[in-house]
Amino acid sequence: MAPFGYWLGLGVAVIWAIVTRDERRGHSFFKKTMGRGDSLLLALLLGVGIVEIAAGAWHSSLNKAMPLAGAAWLAALAFVIIRSVPPRPSAWWFGLALSGLGTGGWAAWQKWVVGLTRATGHPPLHSIFFGNLALLVALLCLAGLGWAWQKRSTRFFWVALLLSGAMGGGLASALSGTRGGWLALPLVIWVFYCGYARRWRAIWRWLALSAAIAVMIGVYATPYSGVEKRVDKAVAEVHRYMEGGDYGSVGARLEMYRGAFWLIYERPFMGYGHQGYLPAMQRLEAQGVLSPELGNYWHAHNDLLDAWVRRGLPGFLIVVSLYLIPLWLFFPGLRAESPVQRSYAVAGMLLPIAFMSFGLSYSFFAYPAGIAVYASWLIFLWVHVAEQVPQDGRHVYTNKKPDGDIADANVTDGSHFYNRMVDSKAGSALPG
């Protein structure tokens, strides 16, 4: 992952969309009607920046808040522009596959050639950031297999490319030694089951599940990956923390969570601000509330707690919204008959689920990089979904063409997706 790539990606997307728009004379970014989902995501991105600026102004820490707000607002600008000239789906999946191959190659070089203990990215994307985002890239590449399978003439190329990207991202995650991201795997398996596996024959479902378990066991058992040592170390640290001994990195996180809860209890509505968090934690340490040396960490290593203790209740609610609104928007697509549509829905579900898992042990949204990556991947996925799915009314998914006053929303190869129109007078769905 390139230095400042999170800014570069959004900037390039905006410039590309403007250049493409110039080639289509008379096309305006603001003429395309916004659906309900578009409006929600735009309001969400703008809301992230507003909450950051408000907290920064209240706590006299605008210099810390501006980069975070800037990342969210740049993503909002990119969303408005890109939705009017959506990129080709192949460009999205190709970029993901290259990301997986690049991170895997970089991690292998660092681990086995340079000799680093843990593979890492460029600052601020250290091992935790690098490994978790690489794992997410791997999962998104797997989600894209539904799209790749529909590319009849180039199916082998796309399936091979996305599988290679998934293996590269998984390798980078393993070599980085990150542990928090793997907590998402139970929910990840559920998403893949709902999106793909539940339509398979029972034997294929069991084979896929067995293969996934075999891969996880293989990664854990491979000595060179370091995963086994890291997991065993985490378990031992939890036991030591519960016994009141040396807490280690896992115990330190649990202690920081305790300190964050203490500070939230003191100021539940407005928080302590970006610059007030560290002195407040050091005060608890001096008072003997926290163990020594834990007041030196500048964030709470948990996204929800960190948002609440810094930005108050509005910060907590905006992070919850960053998780729940995308889940609500993408979830109906898991029932779509079209594998292409389901691939975007699966990927859209995986994004917030993965970040929820990452945020349990690290504060990803405390960095502009975390906001920029999450927001940029979210808008690219939603733009492709919104191109195929009407955003007004209630959605149903069926193999049969319905009769009556029902509009054919989109027809794809093999299967059909239809939208059930809502009667504005009666307020209920018309019968199919």
Side-chain angles (χ1 to χ4, degrees), residues 25-45:
R25 296 179 181 178
H27 191 84
S28 173
F29 297 134
F30 303 99
K31 284 185 178 179
K32 187 175 180 180
T33 304
M34 277 199 171
R36 180 175 54 186
D38 292 334
S39 302
L40 274 175
L41 287 186
L42 182 60
L44 179 62
L45 295 174

Side-chain angles (χ1 to χ4, degrees), residues 7 19 72 85 109 117 120 129 152 159 164 177 186-187 199 222 230 253 260 265 270 273 298 305 311 356 388 403 413:
W7 292 111
V19 170
V85 279
W109 171 266
T117 303
T120 185
F129 247 114
R152 292 184 176 88
V159 169
S164 299
L187 283 176
R199 298 168 181 269
T222 301
R230 297 279 297 167
R253 282 177 169 82
Y265 176 76
M270 300 308 299
W298 70 273
L305 294 180
R311 307 166 188 89
M356 277 192 286
Q388 301 183 51
D403 300 320
D413 294 335

Side-chain angles (χ1 to χ4, degrees), residues 148-427:
W149 196 255
Q150 303 306 303
K151 309 293 288 185
R152 292 184 176 88
S153 60
T154 55
R155 176 184 297 171
F156 177 79
F157 167 78
W158 284 109
V159 169
L161 183 64
L162 288 172
L163 284 176
S164 299
M167 288 188 289
L171 177 65
S173 176
L175 296 183
S176 71
T178 54
R179 299 167 296 199
W182 296 92
L183 297 174
L185 288 182
L187 283 176
V188 165
I189 292 173
W190 173 78
V191 171
F192 276 107
Y193 174 82
C194 291
Y196 292 125
R198 70 176 177 180
R199 298 168 181 269
W200 300 348
R201 293 181 179 179
I203 186 172
W204 291 111
R205 289 201 298 267
W206 284 109
L207 285 174
L209 179 61
S210 300
I213 294 174
V215 168
M216 288 187 286
I217 293 175
V219 171
Y220 176 82
T222 301
Y224 292 107
S225 70
V227 173
E228 181 180 5
K229 292 181 179 179
R230 297 279 297 167
V231 172
D232 293 346
K233 182 180 178 182
V235 174
E237 288 174 355
V238 171
H239 284 298
R240 289 200 300 270
Y241 177 77
M242 298 299 293
E243 294 171 356
D246 180 26
Y247 40 77
S249 64
V250 176
R253 282 177 169 82
L254 296 175
E255 189 73 353
M256 281 188 285
Y257 301 163
R258 191 167 67 87
F261 276 118
W262 191 287
L263 296 181
I264 289 169
Y265 176 76
E266 291 180 349
R267 295 186 183 178
F269 297 108
M270 300 308 299
Y272 277 87
H274 290 292
Q275 295 178 342
Y277 168 76
L278 189 58
M281 289 290 282
Q282 291 173 342
R283 170 176 58 82
L284 293 181
E285 179 184 326
Q287 292 173 350
V289 175
L290 293 182
S291 300
E293 299 182 2
L294 291 182
N296 297 326
Y297 295 95
W298 70 273
H299 62 76
H301 285 66
N302 181 288
D303 263 324
L304 288 171
L305 294 180
D306 189 73
W308 201 342
V309 76
R310 290 172 183 274
R311 307 166 188 89
L313 184 60
F316 171 81
L317 294 177
I318 202 69
V319 172
V320 171
S321 299
L322 281 171
Y323 296 148
L324 297 186
I325 289 178
L327 287 174
W328 181 71
L329 290 175
F330 284 105
F331 179 76
L334 296 180
R335 303 192 304 271
E337 291 295 332
S338 167
V340 174
Q341 176 61 23
R342 291 203 308 274
S343 66
Y344 291 115
V346 169
M349 291 285 291
L350 291 176
L351 180 64
I353 285 174
F355 266 81
M356 277 192 286
S357 173
F358 302 162
L360 291 176
S361 58
Y362 202 75
S363 303
F364 272 65
F365 292 142
Y367 295 84
I371 293 176
V373 171
Y374 183 82
S376 60
W377 289 1
L378 175 62
I379 63 179
F380 272 100
L381 285 168
W382 179 250
V383 162
H384 290 302
V385 168
E387 280 294 297
Q388 301 183 51
V389 181
Q391 300 174 49
D392 298 318
R394 299 175 185 174
H395 301 150
V396 296
Y397 305 83
T398 178
N399 276 322
K400 300 178 181 179
K401 185 170 182 176
D403 300 320
D405 300 327
I406 297 179
D408 183 355
N410 183 45
V411 179
T412 58
D413 294 335
S415 301
H416 307 289
F417 166 79
Y418 298 94
N419 181 55
R420 176 175 292 171
M421 304 300 290
V422 177
D423 187 344
S424 59
K425 296 181 179 179

